[in-house]
Amino acid sequence: MLRASKVFTIENPQEFKMKLLHWSEQFREVVFLDSNQYHQKYSNYEVVLAVDAFTSIKTDYYNAFEDLHQYQSKTQDWLFGYLSYDLKNDTEALTSKNFDGLAFPDLFFFQPKKLFFLKENQVELQYLNLCDDELEEDFLAISNTNSICDFVTLREIKIQQRISKEAYLQKVSKMLEYIHHGDIYEANFCMEFYAENAAINPLEIYQKLNAISQPPFAVYFKNNHQYLLSASPERYLKKEGAKVISQPIKGTARRNSDPILDEQSKAELENNPKERAENIMIVDLVRNDLSRTATKGSVEVEELCGIYTFKQVHQMISTVVSQVDITTSPVEIIKTTFPMGSMTGAPKISAMKIIEELEETKRGLYSGAVGYFTPHGDFDFNVVIRSILYNVKNQYVSFSVGSAITSEATPEGEYEECMLKAKALFEVLK
């Protein structure tokens, strides 16, 4: 379907961004993507908002990528949504039998009636023609929206740890046994924190989480009673024309308020042999994944083990790119690289089997991806980490944290890394 488009100039982009987010709450389906003005080589927009499904697809993992391919090919429009980690079961002979308190569909995408692209002091509205008479009216309504809401404090929630510290240390020791036996080189091991009978205000929690971290791939996602509040720093996969870009993160160091100690922490991360080894292993895995759809000889590492600074942590990020043929389906590129190597391990299938054995929670949307397809078959997806998931109907709140286990890992050290990653999530749920 055709879209009507209009560009408006705005005086205060940061204030307008918050007005836009609050205004979006009236809709059943919302995807709000915020780069937090973190400009990098592959940035396109500062904020993208998609609301109000005209069409949608929701399915479990069985035949999910084929269903998505059919949907994407048929609509040839903007599509927003998510891929859950458990789509691994569609591509390999794998299962997901662990506990699931959230009960999200494995895959959900929708074709939005209304789209907003914010860049610098301009916002572009793209509406399906059936809504084009609302362009001016909605812009005025957003401009008059109160961006500062007084949230009602809901009842205090009690966060529990799915795997005790003692059990965590035992499980990491077991994973190290698998590594020493040569079954795997590396695996990402995660544990869940959760609250039952929980009532939270998702918008308030998202705003707090985003303010603490200000990451480049933040997401506020709503599908009726299901919410994702994400402060992700990581891009999973992006396609721009014939170019495919993957930017795995492996390697984390704590920030310090003392500038000298902060620089020292950054330098220690850059030169840490364990962190570099973790990152390079995943780079090799990503290169292998991208080669499955790449034109011959086009896979290359654009940046290896670059150090990037965020509000909470320093991260080690690599960039791997490839070229694809114009006839290659965008869904095929995703299918052959999913789930992302940074959240699985190497070799990938063995790692996923061991993850399933040792973890106690179905990952679901955690360590999946949220993003969009363009009408021309480009796409951009994040990695769902540093995120809170909430099912209003089940009154269940969940967040998970993980780390990469290699032969150099110590169970205590990995536990500390997980607790560092959980810190911001605990803070916002207090």
Side-chain angles (χ1 to χ4, degrees):
M1 289 186 73
L2 293 173
R3 287 186 178 269
S5 172
K6 183 151 190 178
V7 176
F8 296 89
T9 301
I10 44 183
E11 285 182 18
N12 187 332
Q14 285 304 302
E15 184 185 41
F16 187 84
K17 177 174 86 168
M18 297 319 299
K19 288 174 183 279
L20 196 57
L21 178 59
H22 283 267
W23 175 83
S24 74
E25 272 293 87
Q26 65 189 286
F27 298 100
R28 179 190 166 102
E29 303 88 5
V30 178
V31 174
F32 182 85
L33 308 174
D34 189 356
S35 71
N36 285 295
Q37 297 179 293
Y38 197 95
H39 299 293
Q40 51 156 292
K41 186 176 178 181
Y42 294 109
S43 297
N44 285 75
Y45 309 104
E46 284 166 23
V47 170
V48 180
L49 171 67
V51 296
D52 201 9
F54 178 60
T55 65
S56 65
I57 180 175
K58 178 175 76 172
T59 184
D60 63 12
Y61 68 82
Y62 182 74
N63 218 28
F65 283 108
E66 179 55 31
D67 290 348
L68 179 60
H69 170 65
Q70 295 297 334
Y71 181 56
Q72 189 268 331
S73 304
K74 186 179 170 185
T75 54
Q76 294 195 334
D77 192 12
W78 291 92
L79 301 177
F80 287 74
Y82 69 76
L83 309 151
S84 81
Y85 173 80
D86 300 281
L87 294 183
K88 66 185 173 60
N89 306 338
D90 184 34
T91 57
E92 304 294 344
L94 299 168
T95 57
S96 298
K97 293 179 180 173
N98 288 329
F99 174 77
D100 178 16
L102 285 160
F104 280 34
D106 288 336
L107 179 147
F108 173 76
F109 278 86
F110 72 99
Q111 177 186 14
K113 291 180 187 173
K114 302 182 179 187
L115 266 173
F116 302 80
F117 301 96
L118 184 61
K119 196 165 188 178
E120 294 174 349
N121 68 334
Q122 291 192 319
V123 61
E124 182 184 0
L125 280 62
Q126 284 192 21
Y127 281 22
L128 287 180
N129 280 350
L130 53 112
C131 304
D132 61 356
D133 58 340
E134 298 170 30
L135 282 160
E136 301 267 1
E137 190 183 311
D138 282 354
F139 178 75
L140 193 61
I142 294 160
S143 301
N144 291 326
T145 298
N146 181 9
S147 62
I148 303 166
C149 286
D150 294 325
F151 294 107
V152 178
T153 304
L154 302 173
R155 65 177 177 267
E156 189 179 341
I157 67 169
K158 184 188 175 189
I159 300 168
Q160 301 177 70
Q161 193 167 320
R162 180 71 58 192
I163 300 172
S164 68
K165 181 177 181 182
E166 185 184 6
Y168 176 89
L169 298 178
Q170 288 171 354
K171 285 171 181 285
V172 172
S173 296
K174 179 67 179 169
M175 195 163 266
L176 285 166
E177 279 180 35
Y178 281 119
I179 291 169
H180 295 139
H181 288 155
D183 298 306
I184 49 171
Y185 308 115
E186 174 178 355
N188 192 281
F189 180 60
C190 302
M191 61 173 165
E192 183 197 25
F193 295 84
Y194 67 99
E196 297 168 314
N197 302 313
I200 64 169
N201 187 311
L203 188 57
E204 177 190 20
I205 298 297
Y206 167 75
Q207 287 181 303
K208 283 182 178 177
L209 183 62
N210 191 44
I212 285 173
S213 304
Q214 293 183 9
F217 299 101
V219 178
Y220 179 78
F221 168 89
K222 172 186 173 186
N223 178 22
N224 194 14
H225 57 271
Q226 297 162 340
Y227 289 85
L228 166 71
L229 321 167
S230 180
S232 174
E234 183 171 0
R235 169 178 277 127
Y236 155 47
L237 206 63
K238 180 182 174 100
K239 178 178 176 285
E240 279 186 347
K243 188 172 188 177
V244 177
I245 304 111
S246 179
Q247 295 182 295
I249 291 180
K250 271 285 159 271
T252 305
R254 195 187 298 267
R255 296 292 313 271
N256 197 298
S257 55
D258 181 319
I260 294 168
L261 293 176
D262 195 50
E263 279 301 314
Q264 193 177 316
S265 175
K266 194 172 165 182
E268 282 170 4
L269 174 62
E270 188 171 14
N271 298 303
N272 185 312
K274 174 187 174 288
E275 303 283 23
R276 289 185 72 86
E278 281 181 17
N279 196 294
I280 289 164
M281 278 186 211
I282 298 307
V283 165
D284 284 343
L285 189 155
V286 170
R287 285 170 63 202
N288 185 59
D289 282 352
L290 289 183
S291 71
R292 294 169 71 182
T293 55
T295 55
K296 194 174 179 182
S298 69
V299 178
E300 60 177 292
V301 180
E302 221 171 55
E303 181 179 34
L304 186 65
C305 299
I307 306 299
Y308 290 81
T309 297
F310 302 94
K311 273 192 87 171
Q312 295 278 315
V313 290
H314 302 293
Q315 302 274 200
M316 188 180 283
I317 307 176
S318 292
T319 300
V320 189
V321 300
S322 68
Q323 297 287 323
V324 291
D325 195 271
I326 197 164
T327 58
T328 305
S329 149
V331 174
E332 183 66 14
I333 299 164
I334 292 168
K335 182 182 178 181
T336 51
T337 57
F338 192 85
M340 61 292 301
S342 61
M343 295 306 294
T344 52
K348 201 173 192 178
I349 296 168
S350 300
M352 288 192 286
K353 285 178 180 173
I354 291 165
I355 285 166
E356 183 67 25
E357 175 200 326
L358 294 175
E359 291 183 359
E360 293 185 14
T361 311
K362 179 181 171 180
R363 287 195 183 178
L365 182 45
Y366 172 70
S367 74
V370 172
Y372 60 84
F373 293 93
T374 74
H376 309 294
D378 286 348
F379 56 74
D380 200 4
F381 286 89
N382 78 351
V383 177
V384 179
I385 51 175
R386 323 281 163 88
S387 301
I388 294 164
L389 290 146
Y390 179 43
N391 188 323
V392 179
K393 198 188 280 185
N394 296 6
Q395 293 196 304
Y396 191 87
V397 170
S398 169
F399 68 86
S400 295
V401 290
S403 67
I405 314 300
T406 64
S407 61
E408 303 294 311
T410 64
E412 281 281 355
E414 298 305 314
Y415 187 81
E416 282 174 24
E417 182 176 329
C418 285
M419 298 314 284
L420 168 63
K421 289 172 178 173
K423 182 171 168 275
L425 301 163
F426 270 113
E427 276 180 31
V428 301
L429 287 169
K430 276 179 186 171

